[in-house]
Structures are given as structure tokens and as C-alpha cells.
Amino acid sequence: MPGLKLQGLHKQFGEVVALRTLDLAVESGEFVSLLGPSGCGKTTALRIVAGFEHADEGRILVGDKDITDVPANRRDMGMVFQSYSLFPNMTAQQNVEFGLRIRKQRSAERARRASELLDLVGLASATGRYPHQLSGGQQQRVALARALAIEPSVLLLDEPLSALDAKVRVQLREEIRRIQTQLGITALYVTHDQEEALSVSDRVVVLSHGQIEQVGTPAEIYGEPQTVFVAAFIGTMNRIEATVRADPSGAVESAGHRLPVHAARNWTSGLHVLMLLRPEVIDLRPLQGDTSAGGEAMTGNVKSHTFLGPVTRVQVSTPIGDLMVDVPSVEALSVSIGARVSLTWDPASPRLIELPAGAENVVGPAAIIAEDELQPA
Amino acid sequence: MADTTRDITTLPMSRPRGILVAKRGSLAWLGVVPFFLYTTLFLLLPALWLTTDAFRSPTGGYTFSFIQKLFQSQYENAFFTSIRISLVTALVGGIFGLFVAYAALREDVPRWVRPLLTTYSGVAANFAGVPLAFAFVATLGGAGLVTQFLARFGLDIYARGFSLYTFTGLTITYVYFQLPLMILIIIPSLEGIKREWREAATNLGATHTQFWRHIGLPILFPSLLGAMVLLFGNAFSAYATPYALTSGSVNLVPILIGNVTSGEVVADPNLGDALALGTIVIISISVVIYALLQRRSDKWLRR
């Protein structure tokens, strides 16, 4: 299986820049996701690779072959669309056979290959059904089988799960990953759903305004966001604007409070930074009466609870702003709204990102960006 | 595979309860009364009436003489000409209308083209009868604007055998309203051809032609057929246009019916009924052919 290279892809629609010199190399057999909010250029990139759009500048290579000027119908790329892409006048089997029919394969051979693929996607019993007789999830399985039937060099998936129910979505994404691994096919997957991208990919490419913000494994993207955008876009993140303190054990200062951060030891003091802290790394303890926690802890009052199943997300109002804390749901029962609590964290946990000069008002004293605020509607 | 979507939607709790779901004692049927009243009064009863009159002798009793008359050359010829002009103008208007609509919906066509085209089509499809006839006389008649303009460049179309007052002239005039009617009817169906189908076909290696042969046209087929039947009936029933244009020199069924019922030449209302019955039969046959062809293609549409 060949790999895929995008070199300096640039695309503009009138005044709007959709892609800004994008460079990306997908290794052979690798599963790479393009992740970002709507309008970030991820779909444009995929459509350029498929040949439906043409880049103003840049090249596309499959293996060593430059396919930039190859028309879409000769690129041999399998594509799975968002939804409703099955030909309604053909049965599941005929849909899967279509690419082979165009390639003038013998009908016996076509039928054998189609049933093999429908079997692979778990739809062996639905061969004779028309698309309208299939559920959304089943239709996408057929679409996957159809894309794989032509033995494509690269598999392209354009938000293939976004029109499906939550439960089917999770099930199908795991299956797409299983089949991709089994066939060892190079895959490029476009999604706005971070959970989806993080759960199935070898590597995730976070895009914003047509530019790559960060490329990395799901663990790197989640654990070590390199830019303010990635930090805000991936998961829920407490973002605290602070200044690096001259402190041998590592600390920053926010609203007059000292906050322990090991990472600060490597930073120049006085530097304006954003401290990033995941809700799950903060430790919450109820305090008796109106006492101060003392030491390194931050004190605050519980403002609200959001039950998320195994954990409950607690919003705590503190002197450095509101902080989100994930507490195991069984323990959350003991912290009622208004209760006084102390918050501590392992100083090794927070990450720092340098804030550009003059960015004071971009983020408040302690801005919290919940994930749904950043998800496109 | 476990089908979550189906499972949820088939739960009795989530079944939709629309107001149209008939319940005992519901008054919902009242809503369709005007429709049935209208079709009974203006379609069924007149058809029944003219059918019986076609077999009724003016002197009392029943007779087949009017029906037999339909097979006399004058009347047979009128049916033949009417069918011919309806078929030709339905095909010409239908095919060109399809192409114009397709061209207007292409993605690289400026956005203002479409509303302009549909508005024009809406007007042109209804511009028929005497005004249309005069408009054509003024342009393509012997002293018409276009005729004179062409003559100035040495092309005398009348000297070359063209005449507006013949079958050919009538065909051109009919196409004037058939083509825009086709555009109006077919645009919604063309819009139903999803971009994803085209792109999926391209992605799987199909050329533009292969897409239309295997996917586009099969999907459009039922609507194309329906549109053609409508165009056929539309042309068959045109009366004022050919009357004003040819004053009877082209032998058409509606004009004959007009002649025998208005009584200016020979009043013979029963013959008119027989001719009208013949028309009903022709239209019914075209609808049956449509239904038979459609049934072969809509297997994938059936729910």
C-alpha cells in the first residue's frame, strides 16, 4: 500500500483562504484524521485529494506518483461520503459492484468480490436490498464496501458517521478502524468530532483556518497541546492566564496567587503564559466551615454540578476564576452547591503555552472553554 | 447486525400521531370533500355524460353510428394528426426542455440564471391561445418580423416552402409553450439528483456519460415519462392556438369538436361527444402506457 503526500496545498475561494500551504505525509497503512471546526479546510483538503477540487498550488503524491493532474475518475481512491451517497436505483450488491462494472470485470468475479466485501462489513444478508430499505448505519457500511471494492490506493472518509445515532457511530467507527487495520490500507479521515478522531487514528492533524495547528498521536494531541487553539479545541481545559514567577520549584502567578507548575522552571520569569489544566487532574476536597486550605491549595465555592456518568463535572468559583473539576460521581454527592472546597494538583500536570504580546484580553483571568462551545453546530 | 435505529423507531411510544391518522369519529375526511366534489362535477360527470351521449341517437334510442363515423378518413386523419403533433412537440419540447433545465442547474452557471429561467418559463408555458398565435403571425408569418429580417439577407423562408400555417408551423408554435412547461416540471426532479451520487460515481471511475447511463437517467426516468405524458396531453388539448393560427387548415381533433358543437358549419353535438370520447381513450392509453413503463423502473422506489 502506498502512502500519501500533500505538498504545499493552497486553495482560495474568492477572498476566502480555505487552505494555507498545507504539508502532510501519511505513511503507508496509516490512519490519519483531519480534525477541526467547520470551515477549517479539512473537507477542502480531502476533496482536493479525491480530485473534486483543484488546489491553486501544491502537489499530491500517492507513493512516488504525482497525481495532481489526474482526473478524479482515474485516481483509484475509495471515498466514503457523509451520507446518502448510495445509488438509490441499485441494490446493496449492485452498489458495491459498480466500480468493478466500470472496470469491465466479469460478472461472476464482481459478484464474488461484492459478497466478500459485504461480508467484511457485516451485511452478508442485505445484498438484495435497496438503500431505502437499509438503516443509516447499514448504508454507510455498504458505502464502505463499495469504496473498498475497487481496491483503492487510499481510502478517504468525509465525516462518514456524522449523520448517525451516537451508539451506531461508536460501533461503526471501531469497525472502520478494524477493517482498515485488517486490509492495511492508507486512510485519510475527516471529522469535526474530536472523540472520533482521537479514538480511531494513528495520528491526528488539528486544522484551523486552513492551517495545521498540530500533528501528533492522539495522546500527544490530548496531553500536550502545542497551541492555544488545540488546548481549547481538544477536550475540556481550564485555561488560566498567568505570569511566570522566579521560583526554583516552578510556579506561576495569577490574580496574586502562586500556582505550582513544574514546567515553569524552564521558562523566563515574567513571561506572560496560559496555564492549561485538565479537569480530571484536579483533586477536590470538601473543607469544614469557612477555613482556608492553606499551603498550595486553591479554595473556592461549588457553583454547579453536571452529571456525566462515571464522573461529575463540578464548577468551582475561585479567586483566579471558575475552574472545572471532574469528581467521581459517587464522591460528588458529598459536595453540595455552595460548599467550600480546596483544589490541588500535581505540579507536574499543568502545561504552559506562551501568550503572544498584547493578548491580554483574549482570555479572561481564568477562562474556561467547554468543548461544546467550540463544536460547530 | 444490531440495528439501533430501527429498534428505537419501532417502539410504540415513538410512533407519530399525525392528525391525518384516521380515528373513529374523526372529521379529517372533511378536508378531501372539496377535491372529490370538484373531480366529480367537472371530470367524472361530464365524462360519463359525453360517453352516453356518444351512443345516443338524436331521434331516441342508442346507436353506434357516431363511433363508426370516427373511422371515416376525415376524423381518423384528425386523430392521427393530433397524436402526431402531440408526440412530436412532447418529444422536442421534452428533450430540449430537459437540456435547458440541466444546463441552468449546473454549478458553474451564475445563480441569477435559475430564477430568471423559472419565471420566464412560468410565463411562457401559460402564454398560449389567440395571443400566442398572433405573436407568431407577427414574427414568423408571411409579413412577420423575423421572416422579413431573413428575407433582407436573401433567405425567403416562405419561398423555400415554410409556412406558419402548416403542421410544421404549428409544431414550432406548440414548442413555444411545451419547452418551458418541461423546464418547470423537470427542475425539481433534476435537483433531486444529488451531488454525492455524481461524485461517488466519479470516484469509482465512471465518466460523465456512464454516470447518466447507469444512475442519473434511471433515477430520472419516471419523472421524465410523467412529464412527457403531461406534455402530450397539453398539446392534444390545445384549441385556441391552432384555431387562431390555421383557422382549420390543419385537421385536429379539438378543432373538429369545436366545429361540430358550435354549429357554425354543421351542428352535430353527438359526433362531438364521440370525438371527445375518442380523446379520452387516447389520453387513457397514454396514461396506461406510462403506468406500465413506470412500474418496470420503480422497483427501487417502492416502500
Side-chain angles (χ1 to χ4, degrees):
Chain A
M1 286 291 166
L4 173 71
K5 280 196 198 76
L6 317 187
Q7 298 178 337
L9 286 189
H10 193 89
K11 177 71 182 176
Q12 217 162 329
F13 295 105
E15 293 288 290
V16 184
V17 180
L19 285 182
R20 227 177 272 270
T21 42
L22 186 90
D23 285 295
L24 177 68
V26 182
E27 301 298 322
S28 164
E30 195 182 21
F31 194 116
V32 170
S33 291
L34 301 181
L35 173 67
S38 52
C40 72
K42 56 191 192 299
T43 296
T44 305
L46 195 79
R47 291 177 61 81
I48 289 174
V49 174
F52 299 137
E53 306 276 358
H54 293 279
D56 302 331
E57 281 165 45
R59 322 291 307 165
I60 305 157
L61 278 79
V62 172
D64 295 326
K65 203 173 135 214
D66 187 332
I67 58 152
T68 316
D69 301 316
V70 176
N73 63 340
R74 298 215 206 102
R75 287 200 178 185
D76 279 325
M77 291 191 174
M79 179 140 168
V80 181
F81 294 81
Q82 195 165 355
S83 58
Y84 316 118
S85 74
L86 291 185
F87 308 132
N89 58 325
M90 299 183 192
T91 60
Q93 165 133 9
Q94 289 167 336
N95 263 284
V96 178
E97 283 185 20
F98 184 78
L100 306 175
R101 209 163 125 201
I102 295 297
R103 282 164 180 73
K104 307 241 189 300
Q105 264 197 25
R106 304 245 309 273
S107 82
E109 178 60 23
R110 271 174 6 211
R112 192 189 57 75
R113 180 99 181 108
S115 64
E116 206 177 273
L117 281 161
L118 284 168
D119 201 36
L120 182 71
V121 298
L123 273 181
S125 58
T127 51
R129 293 215 220 140
Y130 285 97
H132 73 83
Q133 296 167 318
L134 300 169
S135 70
Q138 291 172 327
Q139 289 188 26
Q140 288 305 73
R141 283 163 193 268
V142 177
L144 179 63
R146 182 177 69 177
L148 293 170
I150 59 170
E151 294 182 38
S153 50
V154 180
L155 182 64
L156 306 174
L157 302 109
D158 185 11
E159 308 227 12
L161 307 176
S162 61
L164 305 177
D165 288 352
K167 205 164 178 181
V168 181
R169 210 151 60 205
V170 172
Q171 195 185 1
L172 198 49
R173 79 179 183 216
E174 279 158 13
E175 241 169 295
I176 289 175
R177 177 57 164 166
R178 170 183 66 79
I179 291 166
Q180 182 267 340
T181 316
Q182 190 179 330
L183 301 178
I185 192 168
T186 310
L188 191 58
Y189 188 103
V190 160
T191 180
H192 66 264
D193 184 333
Q194 42 166 307
E195 190 191 316
E196 209 169 283
L198 295 177
S199 63
V200 296
S201 318
D202 290 316
R203 279 191 302 155
V204 176
V205 179
V206 183
L207 286 174
S208 161
H209 298 293
Q211 264 176 318
I212 294 182
E213 290 277 335
Q214 189 174 349
V215 184
T217 63
E220 285 165 358
I221 296 286
Y222 186 83
E224 299 156 37
Q226 304 290 333
T227 66
V228 177
F229 177 84
V230 176
F233 187 69
I234 305 292
T236 301
M237 185 71 95
N238 291 303
R239 309 193 303 166
I240 301 137
E241 208 180 294
T243 312
V244 177
R245 268 168 71 133
D247 192 324
S249 57
V252 296
E253 189 180 305
S254 179
H257 287 261
R258 179 183 178 276
L259 309 171
V261 184
H262 283 169
R265 283 184 292 210
N266 309 324
W267 293 65
T268 323
S269 83
L271 207 62
H272 194 197
V273 294
L274 199 61
M275 182 176 105
L276 306 173
L277 200 54
R278 292 277 179 206
E280 65 266 27
V281 303
I282 303 178
D283 196 26
L284 178 148
R285 272 173 222 289
L287 289 173
Q288 300 303 321
D290 192 24
T291 51
S292 172
E296 310 235 285
M298 178 60 55
T299 38
N301 294 313
V302 174
K303 213 170 161 186
S304 69
H305 284 177
T306 312
F307 180 72
L308 300 175
V311 297
T312 292
R313 184 155 296 165
V314 180
Q315 192 178 355
V316 182
S317 161
T318 75
I320 57 166
D322 287 0
L323 292 181
M324 298 285 190
V325 185
D326 284 355
V327 178
S329 287
V330 275
E331 292 171 28
L333 292 172
S334 60
V335 279
S336 52
I337 293 185
R340 197 136 179 85
V341 293
S342 81
L343 305 176
T344 49
W345 55 82
D346 178 351
S349 298
R351 286 187 46 80
L352 299 179
I353 293 179
E354 187 181 347
L355 274 179
E360 261 94 302
N361 294 323
V362 175
V363 187
I368 286 104
I369 309 253
E371 51 198 294
D372 34 356
E373 285 171 7
L374 280 151
Q375 293 289 326
Chain B
M1 126 203 185
D3 189 340
T4 328
T5 329
R6 286 278 153 91
D7 289 348
I8 289 167
T9 50
T10 47
L11 284 175
M13 288 298 286
S14 58
R15 206 168 281 165
R17 289 175 196 275
I19 46 159
L20 285 176
V21 176
K23 276 181 244 149
R24 215 171 275 269
S26 155
L27 293 180
W29 58 270
L30 270 176
V32 292
V33 165
F35 170 74
F36 283 113
L37 204 65
Y38 178 83
T39 47
T40 308
L41 284 178
F42 296 99
L43 190 73
L44 291 178
L45 284 182
L48 204 67
W49 183 30
L50 68 87
T51 306
T52 52
D53 275 8
F55 294 98
R56 191 169 284 164
S57 163
T59 55
Y62 289 91
T63 174
F64 274 101
S65 65
F66 298 114
I67 300 296
Q68 277 165 351
K69 255 194 176 169
L70 294 185
F71 294 96
Q72 288 175 7
S73 67
Q74 183 199 357
Y75 303 110
E76 209 179 58
N77 182 267
F79 273 105
F80 180 68
T81 314
S82 274
I83 290 173
R84 198 154 67 108
I85 198 162
S86 307
L87 266 183
V88 170
T89 62
L91 282 174
V92 172
I95 290 166
F96 284 96
L98 174 67
F99 283 137
V100 174
Y102 170 74
L105 290 184
R106 283 178 59 100
E107 276 165 22
D108 47 4
V109 168
R111 287 188 154 234
W112 51 265
V113 171
R114 218 197 109 185
L116 195 74
L117 182 74
T118 46
T119 309
Y120 159 76
S121 300
V123 174
N126 289 295
F127 183 50
V130 182
L132 178 67
F134 284 134
F136 267 84
V137 170
T139 46
L140 280 173
L145 215 65
V146 175
T147 313
Q148 292 300 312
F149 181 76
L150 291 174
R152 198 176 292 173
F153 293 97
L155 181 66
D156 187 348
I157 53 173
Y158 274 76
R160 287 173 185 239
F162 173 82
S163 168
L164 184 61
Y165 315 107
T166 58
F167 184 86
T168 315
L170 209 53
T171 304
I172 294 172
T173 314
Y174 275 28
V175 168
Y176 181 87
F177 58 77
Q178 294 280 65
L179 194 141
L181 181 61
M182 180 66 179
I183 294 174
L184 283 184
I185 310 170
I186 211 68
I187 276 183
S189 309
L190 275 174
E191 280 179 322
I193 303 280
K194 296 207 168 68
R195 189 176 80 168
E196 284 87 347
W197 298 337
R198 242 180 21 234
E199 289 182 347
T202 307
N203 181 250
L204 293 166
T207 61
H208 198 67
T209 321
Q210 283 170 324
F211 165 73
W212 281 103
R213 201 178 114 216
H214 296 294
I215 299 138
L217 281 178
I219 291 171
L220 266 189
F221 187 69
S223 356
L224 273 180
L225 213 59
M228 294 285 196
V229 170
L230 197 72
L231 259 58
F232 180 85
N234 192 39
F236 203 100
S237 62
Y239 172 69
T241 309
Y243 186 82
L245 200 63
T246 68
S247 41
S249 68
V250 176
N251 191 14
L252 295 171
V253 177
I255 293 189
L256 282 185
I257 297 176
N259 286 347
V260 296
T261 51
S262 65
E264 277 166 27
V265 191
V266 269
D268 194 349
N270 295 83
L271 179 60
D273 292 328
L275 284 164
L277 183 62
T279 306
I280 292 178
V281 170
I282 301 281
I283 299 290
S284 306
I285 290 172
S286 66
V287 170
V288 169
I289 292 175
Y290 161 73
L292 288 177
L293 283 173
Q294 156 119 327
R295 190 181 303 176
R296 284 183 52 202
S297 76
D298 74 345
K299 208 167 29 161
W300 54 271
L301 280 174
R302 237 171 279 160
R303 306 247 148 197

